[in-house]
Amino acid sequence: MSICNGGYLPQELLINIFCRLPAKSVGQLRCVSNLLNSLLSNKQFLKSHFTSNHFQEPEKLILLSNSHCFHTITFKNNGVFSNSINFQQTPSDQFIDICGSCNGLVLILNKDDTIVVINPITLDFKKIPNSPFALDPVGSFSMYGFGYDYVNDDYKIVVISRYDHDNEYEPDVLDMFMDIYSLKNGSWKRIKSSPYDHAVPELASGVFVNGALHWLASKKPDYASVIGAFVLSDEEFVEVPAPKSLDKDKFVFNKLVVLKGCLCMVVDNLEGYGNRIDVWMMKEYGVKESWTKLCVDGIDFYDFLKPLCFIRDDEVVVNVDGEKLMVYNLEEEISRDLEVDGILDRFDSVGTFVESLVSPVDPNLFGIEA
């Protein structure tokens, strides 16, 4: 392949060089020539680029403001940079929630319960067709999850739905319905009901770690709290052990998050207005003894305080009541406001993602090696 002045470099060397570039730079190079576009768009290059960069590049935030605008927030060289996301929305689009991310793809929910998967870097997006199994939103609740099935090389959207037990439409139907959309096959299917009771106070999105989506739920008949892990390859639930010091009757009221690639549980120790949370981190997945407790103290909040991502080994970004972002230093036990230019109003939802070139549009480009 010619680079300049008639010179040539082996393709293997070029790929090695391009794999070290940020996704945005690779996207710009694709516009240089058809040859580069072909080289930088094939499945093997995307796999190599992702596995070369996702452990090096820090996580980014994606934020949905009250005005229904999306922004990305990047932490780099001790600076904070924001960028608005403009993709081809229709006038009827009114996005209300960020429901998860995986390998650079983000799942977002529209007001009418339609779903979109977008890559915030390339702006490739796919609108998911409505499920033929969806419950009537009047008198029902749904929770969403999004992750990658490494065994079957497929991205999957999982929806857990239930009727409101107090509604007049289906008051005696207690099933927890489970529907799955395969991006690879482009189709929905309904599987057997969840074995758990997902009638929890907060409709939380599934947390993707280690090939599984995780929800807090209750287990019949005594309604003990459990961490239910829905393994995408098997499409079955298994249980993940919780920290042994937690009350098994109450930890269903906590929150699950992912920090540094680890499953974490956030425990609010105070009722009402508080200023402290404990964050339990499972450092070795599936090993009960590996749960380690971190403490975020001294940040006043009314409704919730949710850790989002680490920007340094000892500094974590937290969402305070959906009103502001703050940075907490675990070593020094101090906090500071995170000021981001271009974001002036409250935000409805915020999530994390990693920079990648993975496309939600072309199923041939999905594969990422575990």
Side-chain angles (χ1 to χ4, degrees):
M1 175 179 288
S2 176
I3 304 187
C4 59
N5 298 325
Y8 289 86
L9 284 177
Q11 181 170 302
E12 294 78 8
L13 181 57
L14 283 174
I15 291 176
N16 185 272
I17 294 171
F18 294 146
C19 279
R20 301 170 187 269
L21 296 177
K24 189 172 183 179
S25 299
V26 174
Q28 292 169 338
L29 282 171
R30 286 174 171 174
C31 301
V32 172
S33 70
N34 290 333
L35 190 59
L36 275 177
N37 182 55
S38 176
L39 175 67
L40 303 179
S41 298
N42 72 70
K43 183 174 181 177
Q44 188 55 49
F45 172 76
L46 293 181
K47 283 187 177 184
S48 299
H49 181 270
F50 184 81
T51 53
S52 297
N53 280 282
H54 80 295
F55 291 116
Q56 302 169 18
E57 293 290 328
E59 283 186 299
K60 300 175 183 289
L61 297 181
I62 179 168
L63 183 147
L64 174 61
S65 70
N66 275 32
S67 55
H68 307 291
C69 297
F70 286 99
H71 303 265
T72 60
I73 302 174
T74 303
F75 307 96
K76 194 170 186 178
N77 298 329
N78 296 320
V80 184
F81 307 93
S82 70
N83 183 50
S84 61
I85 302 177
N86 297 307
F87 66 103
Q88 299 173 6
Q89 303 180 40
T90 63
S92 62
D93 284 336
Q94 190 172 340
F95 295 106
I96 59 172
D97 201 8
I98 298 166
C99 297
S101 70
C102 178
N103 295 345
L105 300 180
V106 179
L107 184 73
I108 54 179
L109 182 66
N110 213 335
K111 188 176 182 180
D112 61 0
D113 286 342
T114 57
I115 304 168
V116 174
V117 178
I118 182 172
N119 182 320
I121 300 300
T122 65
L123 299 186
D124 287 345
F125 70 94
K126 179 180 178 64
K127 291 192 174 184
I128 306 302
N130 293 333
S131 169
F133 311 107
L135 304 185
D136 188 329
V138 178
S140 69
F141 300 99
S142 296
M143 297 187 294
Y144 300 83
F146 178 60
Y148 181 60
D149 175 351
Y150 293 97
V151 174
N152 298 297
D153 191 16
D154 191 9
Y155 288 88
K156 294 179 177 179
I157 299 167
V158 178
V159 184
I160 301 177
S161 304
R162 64 177 179 87
Y163 286 108
D164 182 353
H165 297 169
D166 297 324
N167 83 90
E168 60 184 288
Y169 300 96
E170 298 285 351
D172 298 323
V173 180
L174 304 181
D175 288 345
M176 300 288 160
F177 300 101
M178 294 200 65
D179 303 322
I180 299 177
Y181 182 82
S182 161
L183 266 71
K184 189 174 186 178
N185 299 328
S187 61
W188 286 95
K189 67 178 179 180
R190 171 157 287 180
I191 63 171
K192 66 181 180 181
S193 298
S194 170
Y196 304 118
D197 186 341
H198 294 271
V200 293
E202 180 181 345
L203 295 176
S205 299
V207 172
F208 182 69
V209 180
N210 203 55
L213 289 164
H214 301 74
W215 280 276
L216 293 176
S218 299
K219 185 177 182 179
K220 302 173 184 177
D222 58 354
Y223 290 91
S225 302
V226 296
I227 303 174
F230 184 74
V231 181
L232 291 179
S233 60
D234 300 332
E235 297 182 353
E236 295 277 356
F237 269 104
V238 297
E239 290 181 21
V240 175
K244 62 181 180 180
S245 64
L246 298 184
D247 187 338
K248 68 177 183 178
D249 294 325
K250 294 182 179 179
F251 74 73
V252 69
F253 299 105
N254 298 333
K255 295 179 177 66
L256 295 179
V257 297
V258 181
L259 295 171
K260 294 185 176 181
C262 296
L263 181 67
C264 298
M265 186 185 298
V266 181
V267 182
D268 177 358
N269 290 301
L270 298 174
E271 295 183 0
Y273 193 80
N275 64 1
R276 167 181 170 152
I277 58 172
D278 290 334
V279 182
W280 287 91
M281 177 181 287
M282 184 177 249
K283 293 192 172 182
E284 186 175 351
Y285 184 80
V287 179
K288 187 173 186 176
E289 293 73 23
S290 72
W291 285 105
T292 303
K293 186 169 72 172
L294 311 173
C295 179
V296 177
D297 199 358
I299 299 178
D300 292 335
F301 64 95
Y302 179 76
D303 188 23
F304 66 88
L305 185 65
K306 183 178 180 180
L308 297 171
C309 65
F310 276 85
I311 55 176
R312 295 186 184 88
D313 286 342
D314 57 356
E315 289 194 334
V316 60
V317 180
V318 294
N319 176 1
V320 186
D321 290 326
E323 295 183 345
K324 62 179 179 179
L325 301 175
M326 297 188 72
V327 177
Y328 183 80
N329 188 298
L330 295 165
E331 185 73 24
E332 300 177 4
E333 299 182 354
I334 57 175
S335 60
R336 67 180 187 274
D337 288 341
L338 181 65
E339 298 182 359
V340 184
D341 291 338
I343 300 177
L344 304 177
D345 51 2
R346 282 173 54 98
F347 43 92
D348 286 332
S349 186
V350 60
T352 62
F353 72 101
V354 294
E355 189 173 297
S356 85
L357 294 165
V358 178
S359 172
V361 180
D362 187 348
N364 293 319
L365 304 183
F366 280 175
I368 297 294
E369 293 176 352

